[in-house]
Amino acid sequence: MSYSPLFLSLKIAAIATLLVFVAGVILARVISRNLFPGKSILESVFLLPLVLPPTVVGFGLLYLFGKNGILGKWLMDWFGVQVVFSWIGAVIAAVVVSFPLMYQSASAAFQNYDSNVENAALTMGASRLKVFFTISFPLAWPGLLAGTVLSFARALGEFGATLMIAGYIPGQTDTIPLAIYFAVEAGRMEQAKMWVLIIVALGFSSTLWLNWWTRRNVLLFNRKS
């Protein structure tokens, strides 16, 4: 039996998490501390994949990145990149469904500390970039880490949108959730059971470590206080 679904799932989840982390941190930092017309609408758009059925998300991605889609046609014409029925499509699906978790966590993290610390550093002549990396980022790090772990777990378990845009191609797009589904469809229950155990173990380990790390830091903070 091939273990490609495991390595492919980890690869896709890792790439998606990296992209989601960068985009989520930047957007949350810019938007969370500013008020502007349409802010609520914009944030609702960011969080929409969290409440929509995966098939709806997949249909939207297929519409955008399909052969005749706006983005799909542009990528193919200019870069020769095919998104549909490729691992790139699986990455995009994982990014879209996991981004709301990262954005929510990052937005809360940037709002949960006193901004006067940043303002004091700015008045003393520090650049905004330096303030971000030396003050804002470290203070928000616990929330950012939580969002990162949850985003990774969500990307690892993505199924519906991935199936619609990437399909099921052994060795190319057969992530663990897809491997489980098609193993059950083919009556290979033992194989499906093995993949279920593996993905449950990965998800459980991620959340268990996050809970342990959170409790540990709370205890350390209380001792210092």
Side-chain angles (χ1 to χ4, degrees):
M1 183 182 64
S2 172
Y3 284 88
S4 66
L6 173 60
F7 300 120
L8 185 63
S9 292
L10 292 174
K11 170 187 171 182
I12 289 172
I15 295 173
T17 303
L18 177 62
L19 295 174
V20 160
F21 178 83
V22 174
V25 168
I26 292 174
L27 289 172
R29 184 67 184 90
V30 172
I31 294 173
S32 64
R33 292 293 184 85
N34 295 289
L35 293 174
F36 54 87
K39 177 180 177 179
S40 296
I41 296 175
L42 182 61
E43 289 189 313
S44 296
V45 172
F46 288 163
L47 300 179
L48 199 55
L50 200 60
V51 297
L52 287 177
T55 48
V56 175
V57 176
F59 178 82
L61 293 176
L62 200 58
Y63 184 81
L64 288 174
F65 291 98
K67 186 171 67 173
N68 296 317
I70 299 172
L71 296 178
K73 193 172 187 307
W74 178 74
L75 287 171
M76 179 57 73
D77 291 345
W78 286 87
F79 302 100
V81 174
Q82 178 180 319
V83 173
V84 177
F85 301 122
S86 71
W87 69 271
I88 298 175
V91 170
I92 292 174
V95 166
V96 171
V97 299
S98 61
F99 176 79
L101 294 172
M102 186 68 226
Y103 178 80
Q104 267 192 322
S105 298
S107 183
F110 285 125
Q111 294 180 65
N112 280 344
Y113 62 83
D114 189 357
S115 61
N116 289 325
V117 181
E118 297 172 335
N119 295 333
L122 290 171
T123 57
M124 294 175 67
S127 67
R128 290 190 177 276
L129 195 62
K130 184 176 181 180
V131 168
F132 175 78
F133 283 108
T134 59
I135 297 176
S136 308
F137 191 85
L139 288 175
W141 175 242
L144 299 181
L145 180 61
T148 303
V149 174
L150 292 175
S151 296
F152 176 80
R154 181 66 186 87
L156 194 64
E158 165 50 29
F159 171 73
T162 302
L163 181 60
M164 291 196 71
I165 190 173
Y168 180 73
I169 304 174
Q172 296 184 44
T173 65
D174 57 336
T175 59
I176 293 178
L178 294 181
I180 293 171
Y181 178 80
F182 284 97
V184 172
E185 284 286 296
R188 299 191 299 270
M189 300 306 293
E190 288 301 316
Q191 184 178 336
K193 188 188 299 181
M194 185 203 72
W195 288 125
V196 166
L197 291 174
I198 289 175
I199 199 165
V200 168
L202 289 172
F204 180 75
S205 300
S206 300
T207 54
L208 181 66
W209 179 86
L210 178 61
N211 288 332
W212 170 82
W213 186 87
T214 302
R215 286 198 302 271
R216 174 176 172 272
N217 279 271
V218 169
L219 289 173
L220 289 174
F221 178 79
N222 291 334
R223 287 175 184 173
K224 289 179 181 179
S225 301

